[in-house]
Amino acid sequence: MKKLSFYLMIILLSLGAFPTTMFAAEKNIATAKSDPKEIPAEVRTMLNRLDEIKAMDKSSLASSEKKELRKEVREIKSQLRSSGNGLYLSVGAIIIIILLLILLL
């Protein structure tokens, strides 16, 4: 059993070492460009505000104004993160899932 799990781990690690660019040619470029995701208006305004803040010349601002801008950026970023509908897995969670799969096989 130990040899099997060892070989399985070696195979999984070696699969991760190969570059995934060889699979990039399989996608059809025309279909990828025809499916742009619509960005909601609220998200677009928040992104525009972030771009405005990045483009600002902050050297002439007072420290309190800079502090307010930092708070605003943090608030906008947290709202953008919470509006996303993605599933995020940490590296630790992925490792635990792989170990559980190996042990339960």
Side-chain angles (χ1 to χ4, degrees), residues 56-69:
M56 278 182 168
D57 182 23
K58 297 175 197 82
S59 62
S60 62
L61 297 176
S63 63
S64 60
E65 293 171 338
K66 289 180 186 178
K67 192 174 187 179
E68 289 175 13
L69 280 177

Side-chain angles (χ1 to χ4, degrees), residues 35-53:
D35 271 342
K37 289 188 176 182
E38 287 291 323
I39 299 175
E42 297 171 354
V43 174
R44 176 54 53 197
T45 56
M46 286 188 268
L47 290 173
N48 288 340
R49 179 61 183 151
L50 282 176
D51 290 337
E52 288 175 7
I53 292 173

